[in-house]
Amino acid sequence: MLPVPMEAWIADCTRQEVTSMFYHGYDNYMKHAFPEDEIRPISCKPLTRDRGHPENIGINDVLANISLTLIDSLSTLAILASSPQDNHTNEALSRFQEGVSLLVDYYGDGTNGADAVGIRGKGFDVDSKVQVFETTIRGVGGLLSAHLFAAGDLPIRGYNPSRKRNRNRRRKLKRGRPVPEDRIEWPSGFVYDGQLLRLAYDLGERLLPAFYTPNGIPYPRVNLRYGIPFYSNSPLNADAENGHCSTGAPEITETCSAGAGSLILEFTTLSRLTGDGRFEQVAKRAFHAVWSRRSPIGLVGAGIDADSGLWTGPYTGIGAGIDSFYEYAFKSYIFLSGLESQSYVSTSSNDPNRLFNPLSSEDQSPETFLNIWLDSHASIKRHLYQESPHPHYINSLLSTGSPQVFWVDSLSAYYPGLLALAGNVEEAISTHLLYTALWTRYSALPERWSARTGSIDNGLSWWGGRPEFSESNYHLYRVTKDPWYLYVGSMIVSDIKRRCWAKCGFSGLQDVRSGERSDRQESFFLGETAKYLFLLFDESHPFNTLDVPFVFTTEGHPLIIPREERGKPDHGGDYNYETCPLPPPLVPLTISSTASRGDVFHAANLARLHLIPNTQTINSPLVEFSQDHPSISLSDLYSPTNYTFFPWTLPADLLPFNGFSTKLKHIPTFDIQFPSPSGPVFTQGAVRIKEGIMINSLAGMGLGLIRDDHVHFGGSGPDKIFRIHRMGNMPLGRDEKVFIGRDLIVDMIDPNFSRIRDTILLDIVVDTGESGLRVTPATSSASPDSESNPSSDPKVTQFRNMLNSLLTHFSLSSDQLIQQTPVGIASANAHPHIPAIISTGLGAAPLPDVPDANNQGPLLWSRIFVATDSCRRLPEAAKKAQVIIMRRGGCSFSTKLETIPSSRNPPLVIIVSYEEEGQDDEEDGWTEAELIKPLLDRVQKTPSGLLRRQGIPLVLVEGGERTWELLVGAKGIGIRRRYHVHSQGVPVGNLIVV
């Protein structure tokens, strides 16, 4: 019998289970905790701010005393309302409207009129110091999303509000407050006219003081009543004597990339709906302020100081502190696409934008955000992505990408879903498998898990009901329609119900191993986790077929700019018409391409699933409750986990009966240990410089090498190269270079470490006769992965060893610097170096066997002949020349050599190439990418037509007139050969011989 996808009735039953789970948490919150922020589901008591311990930011950053769970739940209620359980009544819609009415009762209608003051006060005028990020995504985002549902701008099946036009609404703002919108009367008698939008505006205004910073990066916290009196460096508190700065310990100014850069969706919506551009401007400026501080390898850090703008930690990753920055880079592109760009003029005294220059049109363009995402993804894939033994992401050094820690945190589970949205489906599927395997192992995702040890990292074993794994699972199902993800969702629902159910809601897990619970139901459990699980099993839901540019925020709130507010689309020039790739093809006679993958076991192996016993122990808080509820079955009480495949809800017939796993990928590595000297060592073995690591001595040095993929540049070449990934105990980044002096390895013949002369490239050293001349090659910092001319030999681009200003970063003496200066790098008194390429073909001759030129002092060849007409026979004076300089063009390279009279000691011929018409000839240096091996298509002959006994060596340089003038005025010329290192016959790509 062929396997079949999940039957519709099973999906419907699971959807009903999710609905019941939501109502169990929501109803108990409304009964036992409202109007407080959250509920303690085990003790059935409200969870409020910890005013006795202000330093308890785990509670106080989030709980603002604004009925947070209700605000966070409204958009989920609206989504449930499109799939009512009863054909006669829409309970979810009624509860949604009731929740809106209750918020207005408690916090007012957001106007300055008689109904502005609610039971709790006017708007959110509360003495609560909260985190800007959490209050924005939960509070502002939740209110805006609920408003869009209430106004009919986001779809609720069967809800078609009839509007009574407000004739007084000729403008959006009046006296600094949003004007009431058209009136919508609900069956309860409540009239909705935009109260939630006005409350969102009230809350957003209370967050604006946090943006009064020296650089646009918002402070992490703000008091909703008093602003930011605790940040002494804020321009708002510039008067140290008369300002409002509080005494006591200084307030922490460290925020995170996610917190500062993940406000665009909410604040842009608020600006477009109210006509007040302050919010959109500060959010975009904050995003760009973070991005402008990215590291040289194109990644952002986790912590950043809002006062100084400096990173507070050395690490980077994709998880905690960074996650939603990358999420909002791509989602901002979706959200802003087609929106008319708006000019902004500040009209309010409470406007942080007055401190800065206006944002450029490029800063606000959706294509800019797309390019930031594309650049970020490329850097993540290169520096954080680990392919073996199964794809996952690590945490690396921000500046270099060198691996530092190998834990995977639960927040990073969002990333496969983001990849699926962006069209990177294969990477999304493969990386999501690891999170699925981890959930199968722990029946939850621990806060941190170590890929290196296979266990919980540093005791961080809790799971607070986070939605990221469910979110990615939902997006992957929408992209692939693979039933695998339905079974993953079924596993999540069963495990949450089994392990987290409490009398008054759903608890978190304090320890995913023991099942110890925490007495807290986070607002995002109802606002996100339940929402994504519900949508997963509701195939016909309007949000699963909605063809408009809406997005789910990082808190799971759907947002959209209504059509009447979008204006005329501004595509900003070239429009991107790319489409998403098709899902992976099915294996014949199967219905799940994911279950049929050969690397399914690889993820299970990395998660150590095969080492976990199947205990089948009944361990659930539902046990006691089930005594009075016979409808609860054993499947609700324990996980029948089969650790040979996953998820445990997957039926066996969904796997191919003869399926097998591919071999685990093994990347070869080995170590080289150089012997230590018997006597004392006076030279530091290695020093860090700007461009990498400089090896001064190999004595006692240990190098770790790894086989690495090699990028081809339009030609054949080695498929693999070695890369030094570790020096001693210090890991290196993927693009970090290691420099070594040629004299250190001149006589080394070890097969694991051999110096090989470059047969393609060399450097022409020029004595200009001028002291203090400094010539720096334009591409000296190019890496082996830079673009190259496709017609050139690939070895030309294999080793880029001309690096800018390397000499200024050495920690050695000046005498040593002269000997260890990399090729092509000039100090204040060193000779300039010009990259040259050796000729090829029948007439090619070897270079003379002469010593390498020094960086300073006299050079070997001083008799230089300049051939102004290189296609006619040269005069007899050219016989005495040691170097002949010619311009390229006019005739072939072979013809040029035939104009040179015979001599006992053949000269070196240097051909100067000029840029193609239209190319810039005035750049500050030379580029190797333009060098193409000159072809000598026939054997060399003398001007009289006889075969030359000794061929004349010919090299090509580029640079045009600038190079010509330098060579013509030279007092002396020499050559300096290039070298690279092979190990076991394979090039070591990041080791540069200088």
Side-chain angles (χ1 to χ4, degrees):
M1 183 177 68
L2 295 180
V4 294
M6 178 178 282
E7 296 186 40
W9 70 270
I10 299 179
D12 288 342
C13 287
T14 310
R15 176 169 56 84
Q16 294 299 333
E17 279 193 79
V18 176
T19 304
S20 298
M21 286 171 53
F22 172 82
Y23 282 134
H24 179 63
Y26 178 78
D27 289 346
N28 277 287
Y29 162 75
M30 296 302 295
K31 178 180 179 181
H32 298 287
F34 179 80
E36 304 301 338
D37 286 315
E38 290 180 349
I39 187 173
R40 297 183 182 272
I42 298 175
S43 57
C44 298
K45 296 179 180 179
L47 180 63
T48 61
R49 292 180 60 81
D50 188 357
R51 297 193 180 276
H53 300 87
E55 72 281 0
N56 185 3
I57 59 176
I59 293 290
N60 294 329
D61 270 1
V62 176
L63 305 188
N65 200 22
I66 59 173
S67 307
L68 192 61
T69 294
L70 176 57
I71 294 175
D72 231 356
S73 300
L74 286 176
S75 63
T76 307
L77 279 168
I79 284 177
L80 294 179
S82 285
S83 303
Q85 295 175 290
D86 192 322
N87 293 329
H88 303 289
T89 61
N90 193 330
E91 182 181 8
L93 181 58
S94 298
R95 296 194 188 197
F96 169 78
Q97 295 174 346
E98 178 188 8
V100 173
S101 177
L102 280 171
L103 278 177
V104 175
D105 288 343
Y106 275 81
Y107 301 98
D109 67 355
T111 66
N112 289 320
D115 297 327
V117 181
I119 297 172
R120 282 200 154 189
K122 184 178 180 180
F124 300 108
D125 181 24
V126 290
D127 184 9
S128 298
K129 184 168 72 173
V130 295
Q131 193 184 91
V132 174
F133 169 65
E134 292 288 355
T135 307
T136 298
I137 64 173
R138 301 196 200 199
V140 176
L143 290 166
L144 289 172
S145 183
H147 163 73
L148 291 167
F149 277 113
D153 296 315
L154 285 172
I156 299 177
R157 189 183 287 128
Y159 175 65
N160 301 300
S162 176
R163 301 169 179 256
K164 293 183 179 179
R165 185 167 182 77
N166 179 10
R167 297 181 179 179
N168 296 321
R169 196 172 192 270
R170 298 179 181 178
R171 54 182 179 176
K172 295 181 179 180
L173 292 175
K174 183 178 181 180
R175 297 176 183 175
R177 310 296 295 178
V179 176
E181 297 190 339
D182 298 342
R183 296 164 59 86
I184 302 173
E185 187 170 345
W186 289 342
S188 63
F190 179 84
V191 175
Y192 186 78
D193 63 359
Q195 292 95 328
L196 296 185
L197 174 60
R198 295 193 292 276
L199 287 174
Y201 185 85
D202 175 85
L203 186 56
E205 274 204 310
R206 297 178 186 278
L207 299 176
L208 282 179
F211 292 86
Y212 281 92
T213 65
N215 44 51
I217 299 173
Y219 288 119
R221 295 172 182 86
V222 65
N223 187 292
L224 295 181
R225 176 175 292 169
Y226 299 113
I228 55 167
F230 31 78
Y231 292 122
S232 58
N233 292 331
S234 170
L236 277 180
N237 303 315
D239 188 347
E241 296 183 1
N242 303 314
H244 298 145
C245 297
S246 61
T247 59
E251 181 69 21
I252 296 174
T253 56
E254 177 187 355
T255 185
C256 61
S257 296
S262 306
L263 311 170
I264 293 177
L265 301 180
E266 292 84 357
F267 275 21
T268 297
T269 303
L270 186 56
S271 283
R272 297 300 175 116
L273 294 183
T274 63
D276 189 337
R278 289 178 295 169
F279 307 100
E280 181 176 349
Q281 295 293 305
V282 296
K284 289 179 176 177
R285 181 176 289 106
F287 179 92
H288 288 298
V290 173
W291 177 244
S292 67
R293 289 164 171 79
R294 64 192 179 277
S295 72
I297 60 174
L299 295 173
V300 298
I304 190 169
D305 185 80
D307 274 339
S308 67
L310 300 177
W311 299 112
T312 58
Y315 297 156
T316 185
I318 62 168
I322 303 174
D323 49 0
S324 55
F325 179 86
Y326 295 132
E327 178 186 358
Y328 273 40
F330 182 71
K331 288 185 176 179
S332 293
Y333 163 67
I334 298 174
F335 195 66
L336 298 173
S337 293
L339 274 182
E340 181 181 11
S341 58
Q342 294 183 344
S343 58
Y344 173 73
V345 178
S346 177
T347 59
S348 172
S349 59
N350 179 23
D351 186 2
N353 296 291
R354 291 174 176 267
L355 301 174
F356 308 97
N357 293 325
L359 293 175
S360 67
S361 57
E362 182 180 359
D363 288 336
Q364 306 193 64
S365 165
E367 281 71 28
T368 295
F369 291 96
L370 174 62
N371 290 331
I372 290 174
W373 157 250
L374 293 175
D375 291 345
S376 299
H377 176 243
S379 294
I380 290 170
K381 190 72 179 288
R382 178 154 187 82
H383 300 288
L384 305 181
Y385 179 82
Q386 297 288 299
E387 190 174 6
S388 176
H390 182 81
H392 63 287
Y393 305 94
I394 62 171
N395 297 270
S396 297
L397 202 63
L398 176 62
S399 58
T400 65
S402 63
Q404 298 296 314
V405 289
F406 295 86
W407 46 257
V408 175
D409 64 353
S410 62
L411 282 169
S412 66
Y414 82 98
Y415 197 67
L418 178 60
L419 291 172
L421 282 175
N424 305 102
V425 179
E426 171 57 30
E427 185 182 350
I429 292 172
S430 61
T431 53
H432 184 264
L433 281 175
L434 176 60
Y435 297 103
T436 306
L438 287 174
W439 186 286
T440 304
R441 174 177 174 178
Y442 291 107
S443 293
L445 279 188
E447 185 70 7
R448 281 188 189 175
W449 174 84
S450 173
R452 171 161 287 181
T453 66
S455 58
I456 303 294
D457 183 74
N458 287 326
L460 302 180
S461 58
W462 62 83
W463 180 73
R466 291 196 187 278
E468 287 76 17
F469 179 52
S470 301
E471 174 188 0
S472 285
N473 192 68
Y474 164 71
H475 287 306
L476 274 165
Y477 177 69
R478 298 312 311 167
V479 168
T480 65
K481 296 298 181 70
D482 191 326
W484 168 277
Y485 301 104
L486 295 177
Y487 288 104
V488 173
S490 175
M491 174 180 68
I492 297 171
V493 172
S494 297
D495 284 336
I496 291 175
K497 184 178 177 181
R498 175 175 60 87
R499 306 191 77 193
C500 302
W501 182 94
K503 183 178 179 181
C504 293
F506 286 88
S507 70
L509 294 173
Q510 190 63 33
D511 192 323
V512 297
R513 297 163 297 188
S514 66
E516 178 188 353
R517 295 182 294 163
S518 58
D519 194 9
R520 181 179 184 182
Q521 178 181 278
E522 295 261 16
S523 69
F524 55 64
F525 178 78
L526 300 180
E528 293 184 82
T529 307
K531 180 183 289 140
Y532 286 121
L533 290 172
F534 178 85
L535 287 172
L536 174 68
F537 293 102
D538 193 349
E539 185 66 33
S540 63
H541 195 281
F543 274 96
N544 290 331
T545 57
L546 194 59
D547 189 18
V548 293
F550 83 96
V551 292
F552 286 103
T553 69
T554 194
E555 188 68 13
H557 295 302
L559 292 179
I560 191 174
I561 302 299
R563 184 173 300 176
E564 61 270 18
E565 303 291 347
R566 298 189 71 82
K568 184 178 179 180
D570 180 11
H571 298 311
D574 295 335
Y575 194 70
N576 193 310
Y577 290 102
E578 292 186 7
T579 57
C580 291
L582 293 173
L586 291 174
V587 175
L589 303 181
T590 68
I591 50 90
S592 172
S593 59
T594 304
S596 306
R597 290 174 64 97
D599 62 350
V600 167
F601 176 74
H602 297 182
N605 177 268
L606 181 57
R608 279 70 163 184
L609 272 183
H610 58 297
L611 303 178
I612 307 302
N614 185 6
T615 59
Q616 299 288 336
T617 301
I618 296 178
N619 181 20
S620 170
L622 276 173
V623 172
E624 180 181 353
F625 185 74
S626 65
Q627 296 176 0
D628 300 322
H629 295 76
S631 62
I632 296 179
S633 65
L634 286 178
S635 64
D636 296 317
L637 303 180
Y638 68 88
S639 164
T641 305
N642 181 342
Y643 286 108
T644 60
F645 60 88
F646 61 101
W648 60 258
T649 54
L650 190 72
D653 61 359
L654 197 62
L655 291 170
F657 74 94
N658 59 347
F660 60 92
S661 176
T662 57
K663 289 182 62 177
L664 285 168
K665 184 172 183 178
H666 173 69
I667 300 178
T669 62
F670 69 95
D671 293 341
I672 300 176
Q673 184 66 47
F674 295 93
S676 299
S678 56
V681 178
F682 299 101
T683 303
Q684 187 177 1
V687 293
R688 180 172 289 280
I689 57 177
K690 182 179 179 181
E691 292 82 2
I693 307 292
M694 183 71 189
I695 296 178
N696 298 323
S697 171
L698 288 172
M701 178 70 67
L703 301 179
L705 278 73
I706 186 171
R707 286 283 288 268
D708 211 355
D709 291 337
H710 181 62
V711 181
H712 294 288
F713 302 102
S716 60
D719 292 327
K720 299 288 183 180
I721 60 173
F722 276 119
R723 171 172 60 88
I724 298 176
H725 71 104
R726 180 173 45 79
M727 296 183 64
N729 294 323
M730 180 178 65
L732 301 183
R734 192 169 184 181
D735 289 339
E736 277 197 275
K737 297 177 177 65
V738 180
F739 301 92
I740 187 170
R742 62 186 67 196
D743 295 337
L744 291 180
I745 54 175
V746 63
D747 297 323
M748 191 170 293
I749 57 174
D750 189 325
N752 287 329
F753 208 79
S754 304
R755 188 181 81 162
I756 306 296
R757 178 183 291 183
D758 194 326
T759 60
I760 306 298
L761 287 176
L762 73 155
D763 288 275
I764 303 298
V765 184
V766 182
D767 180 3
T768 63
E770 299 180 17
S771 176
L773 178 67
R774 183 181 184 90
V775 182
T776 306
T779 59
S780 61
S781 60
S783 69
D785 293 339
S786 302
E787 289 294 331
S788 172
N789 192 308
S791 62
S792 63
D793 191 292
K795 290 185 179 180
V796 173
T797 60
Q798 187 172 359
F799 301 105
R800 308 282 186 182
N801 58 4
M802 302 176 66
L803 304 170
N804 279 326
S805 63
L806 182 61
L807 201 61
T808 61
H809 302 285
F810 283 110
S811 59
L812 309 177
S813 67
S814 58
D815 292 339
Q816 289 173 307
L817 292 180
I818 295 173
Q819 300 301 321
Q820 298 189 17
T821 303
V823 176
I825 308 303
S827 68
N829 297 308
H831 300 314
H833 294 60
I834 305 174
I837 189 167
I838 300 172
S839 58
T840 186
L842 294 175
L847 292 173
D849 187 14
V850 296
D852 283 347
N854 292 322
N855 286 319
Q856 291 181 325
L859 297 179
L860 180 64
W861 299 316
S862 58
R863 299 194 302 272
I864 303 169
F865 184 87
V866 179
T868 55
D869 186 351
S870 58
C871 293
R872 294 185 179 181
R873 179 168 179 166
L874 301 185
E876 291 298 306
K879 283 187 175 182
K880 299 180 180 181
Q882 295 170 309
V883 178
I884 296 178
I885 303 171
M886 297 180 170
R887 285 188 173 93
R888 182 179 181 180
C891 56
S892 68
F893 295 115
S894 295
T895 301
K896 292 179 185 294
L897 293 183
E898 291 171 356
T899 66
I900 301 173
S902 299
S903 62
R904 182 174 300 177
N905 298 309
L908 171 67
V909 175
I910 303 176
I911 305 293
V912 180
S913 177
Y914 285 71
E915 284 78 2
E916 298 292 335
E917 185 177 354
Q919 288 185 321
D920 185 10
D921 188 36
E922 301 298 328
E923 40 181 80
D924 297 332
W926 297 278
T927 170
E928 297 171 12
E930 301 298 325
L931 291 173
I932 302 175
K933 295 178 72 173
L935 175 62
L936 299 176
D937 55 355
R938 56 183 182 268
V939 295
Q940 292 191 26
K941 296 182 179 181
T942 65
S944 58
L946 300 176
L947 291 177
R948 287 192 189 274
R949 292 185 178 181
Q950 290 182 283
I952 299 175
L954 179 146
V955 298
L956 178 73
V957 298
E958 64 91 30
E961 196 62 33
R962 178 170 41 85
T963 302
W964 178 266
E965 293 177 358
L966 185 67
L967 293 173
V968 167
K971 304 300 181 182
I973 290 178
I975 60 173
R976 190 172 176 87
R977 295 169 178 83
R978 298 188 179 190
Y979 297 89
H980 46 84
V981 173
H982 279 201
S983 183
Q984 302 176 10
V986 178
V988 181
N990 64 333
L991 183 61
I992 312 299
V993 180
V994 296

